[in-house]
Amino acid sequence: MLVLPAQLTHDEAPACARMLAQALRTQGQSHAVADASALQQFDSSALAVLLDCRREALAQGKSFAVANMPKRLRELATVYGVADLLVPAAA
């Protein structure tokens, strides 16, 4: 599982995206899940990181889902029109 940090704003986004891409490359599974449960302070950059991670996973032939997405992040995804791209992980 790919774990997002507690804080993911514009300043942290590039390093987080690199970390998640590296984790995806070393992960042997065919299904990637990003765990957003730790997210406490975030902005729309968190969506950009998740979409980048999704893009990377799909490029590697993996499926992608997001687990434990905070309500506010789901709302942001809806406002930006990307909610359908960030599929919730199966419970």
Side-chain angles (χ1 to χ4, degrees):
M1 185 162 304
L2 307 166
V3 180
L4 297 178
Q7 181 171 321
L8 183 49
T9 61
H10 179 75
D11 291 337
E12 296 85 22
C16 185
R18 284 190 303 273
M19 175 198 66
L20 292 174
Q22 176 64 30
L24 274 170
R25 285 190 289 274
T26 61
Q27 182 185 56
Q29 299 152 324
S30 63
H31 183 70
V33 177
D35 182 4
S37 62
L39 277 179
Q40 294 177 7
Q41 183 179 353
F42 56 88
D43 59 19
S44 61
S45 298
L47 291 176
V49 167
L50 286 170
L51 291 170
D52 189 54
C53 190
R54 177 186 181 272
R55 198 170 21 256
E56 181 73 27
L58 295 177
Q60 294 178 27
K62 300 177 182 185
S63 60
F64 180 77
V66 182
N68 307 308
M69 189 183 295
K71 180 181 177 189
R72 195 172 121 243
L73 189 58
R74 283 194 311 270
E75 291 169 352
L76 274 176
T78 300
V79 167
Y80 283 98
V82 298
D84 292 343
L85 298 175
L86 300 174
V87 177

